[in-house]
Amino acid sequence: MKHLHASEVWLVTGTQELYGPGPLKTVASNSRAVAAGLSAAGAPYPVRFKALFTSSEGIRAVCQEANQDPSCAGLVLWMHTFSPSRMWIAGLSSLRKPFAHLHTQFNRDLPWPEIDMDFMNLNQAAHGDREAGFLHARLRLPRKVIVGHWKDPEVHYRLFAWMRVARGWQDLQGARIARFGDNMRRVGVTEGDKVAAEARFGYAVDGFGVGDLASEVRAVGEPAVRRLCAEYAERYQVAKELRRGGRRHASLREAARIELGLRTFLEGGGFKGFTTTFEDLHGLRQLPGIAVQRLMADGYGFGAEGDWKTCALLRLMKVIGHGLPGGTSFMEDYTYHLDPSGSLVLGAHMLEICESIAAGTPSLEVHPLGIGHREDPVRLVFDARPGPALNASMIDLGTRFRLIVNEVDVVAPPEPLPRLPVARAVWKCRPDFKTACGAWIRAGGAHHTGFSYAVTTEHLRDFAEISGVELVAIDAGTRLTEFEKELRWNEAYYHLAAGPRA
């Protein structure tokens, strides 16, 4: 995964001096055991017990330390005993990292015959976490609340999902996206407010002329091109005409040169994503095809036609899904199969679908594109694997951002697609085609999406909570009339939540 740095979350336990040094040592020991147990249970990165806190000064100091530590993705708060919430005000008010509130207790079962007041005072998360919850609500702090014993698999699932999102949020802070050219023609949904996006999400979009990329492509040496072509031959099913000695091998070499030049540009600038547009290919002989597909497989975000919002969303989803089974790709709803017995969506793009979602070994082919006025581009062709997945779209409504999610079920194409020379996915929408498409269009969802088998709606809900954006989900329980009401209610809520503007 390119440019993904090491992360950890800190378990911060609240208590108070009232109990004396002996019980506090027990609380600290229990907290270390919880952190170690969570890490050992399959956490995506380490959970580290940071410290036990009994004062406002200590809590403020750890929150400030978290803000400054680039390895800290966020905090997990737990009140092992009662912890007066007023001493958390200054620290949590200054905290800029996300936090989750873990409502648990060290022991799973009560030792009924042995319970005395010492046990009750030591094990009162039921008391302390409610005190903490009040303060979080009173301060209107975004957070995820996770309830259950710390060894419970459901607790692991929900906490580890949040941890993945916290790392994704951490990855966006200061991230750079290279935008080659502008958006395409007069398309509206790929536009947006870059200033608002940087203020809300932490990433920056920087524009570059395609000529800057073309210079890097021209500088690629022949030995590097030969090595990459050999890698293609080993990894993919290469069409005969593209193989060494084939009549179109030069096209493969040019595609390799573009990939190498693009990699050099992105790595040199520390970029985590990029966009292209086929309206601006100055200095390039092909529209990047396999280059984009392979860079996405390495974790880069991508948006076609200048779509920087989908590029950033895709990078986030790549980070969230890192290490999970399945894959994540740029996607576009392209065309429909409107069979009354079961409608289907055919998703694809001209070239740029990530090989991480392929059902088998992709085929490496070259075909005419018909647009862009350049040579025929080389691309990977494949069908996406069957299974549950989702599509997500980030749109700019002018006053706020909205994240729209539709859960889907990918199926094998009903018939072969021998003449469709692009990678593709076929899916059924949940709850059904008409409801899903009606809700998506009503919400303003874009035609470009981040598509993933690994990322779930829970992940994206956690992201919406951390980032403070609206999320609407279209799933098996969606009813169009209720969905439309939710959109109307959200208009009022987000208008009021934004407060007065200068």
Side-chain angles (χ1 to χ4, degrees):
M1 184 73 164
K2 291 290 185 179
H3 306 302
L4 182 60
H5 303 295
S7 300
E8 62 181 15
V9 294
W10 297 350
L11 176 64
V12 174
T13 306
T15 185
Q16 58 180 323
E17 296 287 359
L18 179 67
Y19 304 109
L24 293 185
K25 288 181 181 179
T26 301
V27 171
S29 176
N30 290 350
S31 298
R32 290 187 184 94
V34 170
L38 292 172
S39 294
Y45 51 92
V47 179
R48 178 160 72 97
F49 172 56
K50 183 63 177 176
L52 198 64
F53 291 101
T54 61
S55 69
S56 298
E57 292 76 16
I59 294 167
R60 185 188 306 113
V62 78
C63 289
Q64 292 173 349
E65 183 183 354
N67 289 340
Q68 298 301 318
D69 191 332
S71 68
C72 177
L75 307 183
V76 178
L77 307 187
W78 173 39
M79 308 303 125
H80 188 304
T81 69
F82 185 74
S83 177
S85 65
R86 284 174 56 194
M87 70 184 188
W88 291 81
I89 293 173
L92 292 182
S93 296
S94 66
L95 181 66
R96 298 196 303 274
K97 297 289 179 76
F99 77 89
H101 185 186
L102 178 59
H103 182 43
T104 190
Q105 63 186 28
F106 186 70
N107 55 294
R108 192 196 71 174
D109 302 322
L110 290 178
W112 299 101
E114 288 81 29
I115 294 178
D116 56 17
M117 284 311 298
D118 288 339
F119 181 93
M120 294 283 278
N121 287 332
L122 186 65
N123 297 278
Q124 55 173 316
H127 186 186
D129 279 331
R130 281 170 167 77
E131 170 76 356
F134 160 74
L135 182 76
H136 304 161
R138 177 67 176 80
L139 297 181
R140 275 70 170 176
L141 298 174
R143 77 277 191 199
K144 183 174 188 176
V145 179
I146 302 163
V147 179
H149 191 253
W150 56 277
K151 292 184 178 179
D152 182 347
E154 183 184 358
V155 168
H156 296 163
Y157 173 81
R158 299 197 65 224
L159 177 60
F160 298 167
W162 174 85
M163 288 177 64
R164 288 182 170 279
V165 176
R167 181 169 60 179
W169 176 254
Q170 177 190 34
D171 181 75
L172 284 184
Q173 306 313 300
R176 298 182 68 202
I177 293 171
R179 195 179 193 217
F180 297 109
D182 205 339
N183 76 313
M184 194 180 69
R185 295 194 175 90
R186 295 185 176 181
V187 177
V189 76
T190 52
E191 291 283 21
D193 186 339
K194 301 184 190 71
V195 174
E198 187 167 354
R200 173 64 60 183
F201 303 114
Y203 64 82
V205 182
D206 299 324
F208 297 91
V210 179
D212 296 333
L213 172 58
S215 296
E216 294 287 359
V217 172
R218 288 194 298 269
V220 173
E222 291 301 317
V225 171
R226 286 195 296 270
R227 286 192 297 269
L228 186 52
C229 287
E231 181 181 333
Y232 292 163
E234 182 178 347
R235 183 164 179 172
Y236 308 113
Q237 298 178 16
V238 181
K240 184 177 180 180
E241 61 184 347
L242 290 176
R243 297 175 193 164
R244 189 172 182 179
R247 66 182 182 88
R248 305 201 67 178
H249 184 64
S251 294
L252 185 69
R253 292 174 58 81
E254 186 61 26
R257 194 181 305 278
I258 292 172
E259 177 181 338
L260 291 165
L262 186 49
R263 283 185 183 277
T264 298
F265 188 98
L266 296 175
E267 290 176 4
F271 296 102
K272 295 180 178 179
F274 64 103
T275 73
T276 61
T277 168
F278 62 75
E279 277 197 316
D280 188 355
L281 295 174
H282 175 73
L284 297 182
R285 290 168 52 186
Q286 297 179 17
L287 178 64
I290 186 174
V292 174
Q293 293 174 296
R294 284 168 52 86
L295 285 161
M296 276 194 286
D298 285 344
Y300 284 97
F302 173 74
E305 299 146 28
D307 190 349
W308 52 269
K309 295 191 301 299
T310 300
C311 172
L313 177 62
L314 183 62
R315 170 65 184 193
L316 170 77
M317 294 171 70
K318 288 280 189 182
V319 174
I320 291 172
H322 180 59
L324 293 176
T328 300
S329 177
F330 176 79
M331 187 60 70
E332 177 174 288
D333 296 61
Y334 225 106
T335 190
Y336 298 142
H337 179 65
L338 298 178
D339 186 337
S341 64
S343 297
L344 300 172
V345 179
L346 174 57
H349 205 255
M350 297 178 299
L351 305 171
E352 307 98 341
I353 302 298
C354 179
E355 63 178 290
S356 67
I357 70 170
T361 302
S363 173
L364 185 52
E365 305 175 14
V366 60
H367 298 279
L369 187 61
I371 53 178
H373 309 293
R374 289 295 188 273
E375 296 174 4
D376 300 338
V378 175
R379 82 293 302 268
L380 298 173
V381 178
F382 55 83
D383 292 320
R385 69 178 68 90
L390 60 73
N391 278 299
S393 169
M394 181 72 75
I395 63 169
D396 185 346
L397 290 173
T399 55
R400 69 183 188 280
F401 293 92
R402 173 183 286 164
L403 181 58
I404 304 127
V405 179
N406 183 203
E407 297 178 357
V408 302
D409 294 287
V410 182
V411 300
E415 297 182 37
L417 298 161
R419 298 185 64 186
L420 185 60
V422 292
R424 58 266 177 164
V426 178
W427 64 78
K428 298 178 181 178
C429 300
R430 298 183 191 175
D432 59 74
F433 175 82
K434 290 183 178 179
T435 300
C437 291
W440 188 272
I441 290 173
R442 181 71 173 78
H447 55 288
H448 291 166
T449 61
F451 169 93
S452 184
Y453 297 95
V455 177
T456 66
T457 302
E458 176 154 7
H459 288 128
L460 295 178
R461 283 194 188 281
D462 289 348
F463 171 71
E465 178 73 12
I466 289 172
S467 61
V469 301
E470 176 189 8
L471 181 141
V472 290
I474 306 165
D475 54 24
T478 297
R479 299 293 178 267
L480 196 53
T481 53
E482 296 304 310
F483 185 84
E484 290 173 342
K485 289 178 185 177
E486 180 181 356
L487 295 179
R488 295 189 180 98
W489 295 335
N490 287 355
E491 287 287 347
Y493 168 79
Y494 283 97
H495 175 73
L496 293 173
R501 296 176 181 272

